[in-house]
Amino acid sequence: MPDLEGIYLDNASTSYPKPKAVYEAVSEFALSCGASPGRGAYPRALEAEDMLARCRSDVAKLLGVRNPTRIAFASGSTEALNWAIKGVLTRPGDHAVVTALEHNAVLRPLQWLNRTREVTWSVVPCNDDGHVEPADIAEAIRPETRLLCAVHASNVLGTLLPIRDIVEVAHGRGVPVLVDGSQTAGSVPFSVEDLEIDLFAFTGHKSLLGPPGSGGLYVRPGLEIETWKEGGTGLHSESLDAPLEMPARLEAGTPNTWGLAGLIGGVEWLLHTGVEYVRGHEMHLAQRLGDELRQIANVLVYGPSDASKKTSVVLANVASLNSGDVGLLLAERYGIAVRTGLHCAPLAHEAIGTLHSGGAVRFSIGPFNTQEEVDAAAAAVREIASAARCRQRGGHGVHVR
């Protein structure tokens, strides 16, 4: 078996470790219940139904949603974003506006709609720090625009977008707003309803500290979207049409009960600990790591230098080295786990000039990382950069197997 000990700085992909309660909740539900919710009146089925309702209520409380039934559970934010995009952009000629920071979970559904339904979309640019001007969004909106897609925070640069201002601009033109909250739900304090967001996609396995295969979509009251997945819900089974009621309208099929049981453990840990505390801890460590990396010769750090303007992501490159090689060195020589490459967000890398040069190295901090760990990461990059400079001068350099 490989040695998995080391420093984990890839929390923007999947948070690790999880709170102990997450592992215990998955095990307990699997061993003591194991039934499907909404499919029977026997005790195990009712227990599963209660668990699902508890999870929905906890997530609603964390996200600032008053009515938990407006949250439909999905396998993660990718499925939730597909629900929203394909559920709103249903007619040929519909138009969407997106930012240059969007993940492929937004871009690829739009590309598919362009090919199959003649839906068009426009990209609003960002600057080198990932900032998007609401005025540019206003300019991109057309009479046929039916949806604005805006990531809450870039998974590449960590930049937090001015969602309140973006929503105000879109609503002023009568356009609903879909926000991808994959990087902020659980790590940044906010309220979906206070921000007047129409559609909010979230995933459980990142900052909500839950298992993979969990997540969902919030749909504001009064907004109805078309379904793109139909099947059994345990509700109105006599009808061949999907139910109109949320959340059953979107939740066809048997839910990931094990994953949602674990999600309760993560969300309740956050409710008890406080997202504000998590935000402060991660922001302090991200600021420290970013400041240290900026002091290293031949290291380029991207995105905002002020950690209060972004999530816990720190993106960097070592001059003359491919990001994949740096990631491999960090893993093999120093036991540090990071994410390299394009991070499934090609337009963001195009904006900062790294699309055709191998992307960049992403360090992403979680609530259980320590100052000693980020200091060790900075020291490792310093050694790698020093060895790269030595190689450029003709000495012994960096060798990657």
Side-chain angles (χ1 to χ4, degrees):
M1 293 292 291
D3 180 10
L4 299 181
E5 294 297 322
I7 298 173
Y8 187 84
L9 292 173
D10 194 22
N11 290 278
S13 292
T14 295
S15 58
Y16 181 83
K18 313 288 187 182
K20 184 180 179 182
V22 174
Y23 309 115
E24 292 176 342
V26 173
S27 177
E28 182 179 352
F29 182 85
L31 292 172
S32 68
C33 181
S36 294
R39 306 300 199 272
Y42 54 90
R44 288 179 185 270
L46 295 176
E47 181 182 345
E49 189 73 23
D50 289 344
M51 181 278 294
L52 204 65
R54 178 181 166 189
C55 187
R56 211 182 304 275
S57 178
D58 284 346
V59 171
K61 184 176 181 180
L62 188 77
L63 296 181
V65 172
R66 285 185 288 272
N67 182 356
T69 65
R70 300 307 301 180
I71 294 173
F73 287 127
S75 64
S77 53
T78 295
E79 184 174 44
L81 290 164
N82 272 267
W83 280 353
I85 292 167
K86 295 174 183 176
V88 172
L89 302 170
T90 59
R91 300 171 299 182
D94 281 352
H95 175 256
V97 173
V98 305
T99 79
L101 297 172
E102 303 308 308
H103 191 277
N104 276 339
V106 167
L107 302 179
R108 286 179 172 174
L110 287 171
Q111 186 70 359
W112 182 86
L113 286 173
N114 177 256
R115 188 174 65 251
T116 62
R117 294 185 188 171
E118 299 179 1
V119 168
T120 60
W121 48 289
S122 302
V123 179
V124 177
C126 65
N127 66 11
D128 290 346
D129 277 350
H131 178 69
V132 175
E133 287 289 347
D136 292 339
I137 289 175
E139 188 175 338
I141 293 175
R142 307 173 184 173
E144 65 270 23
T145 302
R146 298 288 176 263
L147 186 65
L148 168 63
C149 304
V151 68
H152 198 175
S154 168
N155 73 313
V156 174
L157 298 165
T159 309
L160 288 160
L161 268 64
I163 292 298
R164 188 180 299 278
D165 295 338
I166 289 172
V167 168
E168 183 178 353
V169 165
H171 285 180
R173 303 292 186 88
V175 177
V177 179
L178 165 62
V179 172
D180 177 0
S182 301
Q183 297 294 324
T184 56
S187 65
V188 177
F190 64 92
S191 165
V192 167
E193 293 193 352
D194 285 351
L195 292 173
E196 299 185 356
I197 295 169
D198 301 286
L199 297 150
F200 184 84
F202 63 92
T203 192
H205 71 284
K206 298 182 190 289
S207 295
L208 289 180
L209 306 176
S214 61
L217 179 70
Y218 160 81
V219 183
R220 72 159 169 79
L223 177 62
E224 300 298 334
I225 64 175
E226 293 295 325
T227 61
W228 69 278
K229 181 179 73 170
E230 294 78 36
T233 62
L235 187 67
H236 304 314
S237 295
E238 74 284 356
S239 175
L240 299 183
D241 293 318
L244 296 177
E245 301 96 326
M246 282 284 291
R249 180 167 178 78
L250 300 179
E251 289 184 346
T254 301
N256 176 17
T257 49
W258 293 18
L260 295 173
L263 184 57
I264 291 175
V267 172
E268 292 191 348
W269 184 90
L270 288 165
L271 289 170
H272 174 75
T273 304
V275 176
E276 293 82 1
Y277 171 82
V278 171
R279 172 65 173 155
H281 173 78
E282 294 182 353
M283 192 164 56
H284 166 71
L285 295 183
Q287 187 71 59
R288 185 179 181 91
L289 178 59
D291 290 346
E292 287 292 320
L293 294 181
R294 286 185 180 88
Q295 295 176 17
I296 303 172
N298 284 9
V299 171
L300 177 62
V301 181
Y302 306 90
S305 58
D306 183 352
S308 69
K309 297 180 179 179
K310 64 176 187 174
T311 60
S312 65
V313 163
V314 179
L315 190 75
N317 267 324
V318 177
S320 80
L321 292 182
N322 181 274
S323 71
D325 291 341
V326 175
L328 187 60
L329 287 166
L330 287 170
E332 292 192 344
R333 293 189 182 179
Y334 303 95
I336 299 173
V338 297
R339 172 81 185 274
T340 65
L342 299 179
H343 312 96
C344 300
L347 300 185
H349 278 279
E350 184 177 34
I352 62 174
T354 53
L355 178 62
H356 302 295
S357 58
V361 181
R362 186 184 69 186
F363 302 83
S364 51
I365 295 159
F368 301 111
N369 285 123
T370 65
Q371 183 170 304
E372 291 74 19
E373 289 177 327
V374 299
D375 287 348
V381 173
R382 185 174 290 106
E383 289 186 5
I384 292 170
S386 177
R389 291 196 302 274
C390 179
R391 183 181 63 179
Q392 285 181 311
R393 292 193 299 266
H396 297 291
V398 178
H399 300 281
V400 180
R401 293 198 301 269

